[in-house]
Amino acid sequence: MMNGKQYRESLKKLKPIIYCNGEKIEDVTTHPMIRPHVNSAAMTYELASDPLYQNLMTARSHLTGKTINRFTHIHQSKEDLVSKVKMLRMIANKTGTCFQRCVGLDAMNATFMTTYDIDKKCGTEYHKRFVKWLEYVQENDLMIAGSMTDPKGNRSLKPSAQADPDLFTRVVEKRDDGVVLCGAKAHQTGMANSHEMLILPTTNLLPGDEAWAIACAVPVDAEGVTHIFGRQTNDQRRLQGHIDTGNAEYAIVGGETLTVLDHVFVPWDRVFMCGEIEFAQDYVTRFASYHRQNYGGCKVGNSDVLIGATALMADMNGTARASHVKDKLIEMTHLAETMYCCSLACSYEGHRTEAGNYYVDTLLANEVKLNCTRNIYEIARLAHDIAGGFIATLPYEKDLMAPETGDLIRKFLAANAEFDAVDRIKLARLIENMSGGTALAESMHGAGSPQAMKVMILRESNMDRKKELAADLADLFCEKEA
Ligand SMILES: Cc1cc2nc3c(=O)[nH]c(=O)nc-3n(C[C@H](O)[C@H](O)[C@H](O)COP(=O)(O)OP(=O)(O)OC[C@H]3O[C@@H](n4cnc5c(N)ncnc54)[C@H](O)[C@@H]3O)c2cc1C
């Protein structure tokens, strides 16, 4: 396993093409826009080498028997599924943001199951290839970006019907030694500081869409790959100081990229699906369900920090004893723990698959994420309510530091005299940054938009059985049957 330092060194050896704000990034580990995201991901390496956290952070590889980082593990039990959730909450407590590495973990577990199923039905050898690549990932403790989402163009059209066929990633050439890809993957969390990406389809596919049924592993610096780094709320504050950033060490959400694939060659031993459209829907559902499970771990871990910051702000404002403030803090906790309950439940209700790994209960996993699309917004709303309007109107850090204005700001932003005014400002910036634009949008769309969960919930809800239960109790339809 790598530690944090080794992870950073391993990134320096890669040569991905990354553009950010008109500039080509040479070293992600030192660039001020990407470094905070590297720091968050590095936490998944640092904690794995800390004896205090090894139970949660490491696992025994079912392939080699060696101790590996849990972010490269194929779940072998319900306890593994539960440990994943607890691990995510624990790391989020330390970073207060996304640490990115779960997407690849989920893509790997979904690929493990799906390649097994494809081989069983089609006599292919995708599973063997995938397992060999997985062993390499585990052995080298690689960070894998989970690359599902295509740009998608016109949402009502399937890939083969799009005006531009590249709007979904596709195979443009099959060669004796491999395939050539064109297209792009959007919103790629942690891509800039990953080692490889695991590409999988983004939607169910129909006859005619075979070229778009592609799953494969691609190094982030493969020829033909270009990454364009996304903006985040207040990201330029990173260039201007420390306090205004709110969480300067770790930034906000995952540092997403638009990753363009322009005639990227992938050798056959890295191709895990090629043309089998009938498996695309299950593949997507599995990845999405594993990923939705996470949100009651990491987002609850982030909420722990935000709730703590809000409670501390109430102390600083002198409002902590007011009953409505206590009630709102209880409500925030209730909303967070509800999501955690769902994540634990979908893990404990998981089951062993035919491929041998463990998979979450899909209905309950979708409940986690649907709750998240609402609860995180409500938690943020309550944080804003308790913190006060100054989180939206605070002066610049530069003015706080300036001789002409610094003392005035300290004087007029003082509240409860037991606390320092600058600490109050720092805390306000943390709340502002954890509860604002980018962080909220991630809770809405990360792992799928709410409607995607509702479709799954309807599919899994067994409505006919529910109708039967009611009909039996109400003694319905007897006459018709008689
Ligand atoms: C911060 C963040 C991180 C992410 N990280 C990753 C990642 O690491 N890897 C990855 O692969 N993806 C990632 N995603 C992508 C995420 O899975 C998508 O954002 C999500 O699936 C929604 O897709 P979209 O953004 O294209 O929105 P859209 O699909 O455009 O959805 C917008 C709205 O349109 C509706 N809609 C969409 N299609 C239809 C239709 N056919 N008919 C009617 N209504 C429709 C939706 O229900 C929604 O209300 C990330 C997203 C975010 C925001």
Side-chain angles (χ1 to χ4, degrees), residues 52 102 132 176 219 380:
L52 205 60
C102 65
K132 192 162 163 242
D176 289 346

Side-chain angles (χ1 to χ4, degrees), residues 385-400:
D385 179 352
I386 293 175
F390 84 122
I391 63 163
T393 62
L394 272 173
Y396 284 80
E397 182 174 345
K398 253 192 180 164
D399 292 322
L400 178 65

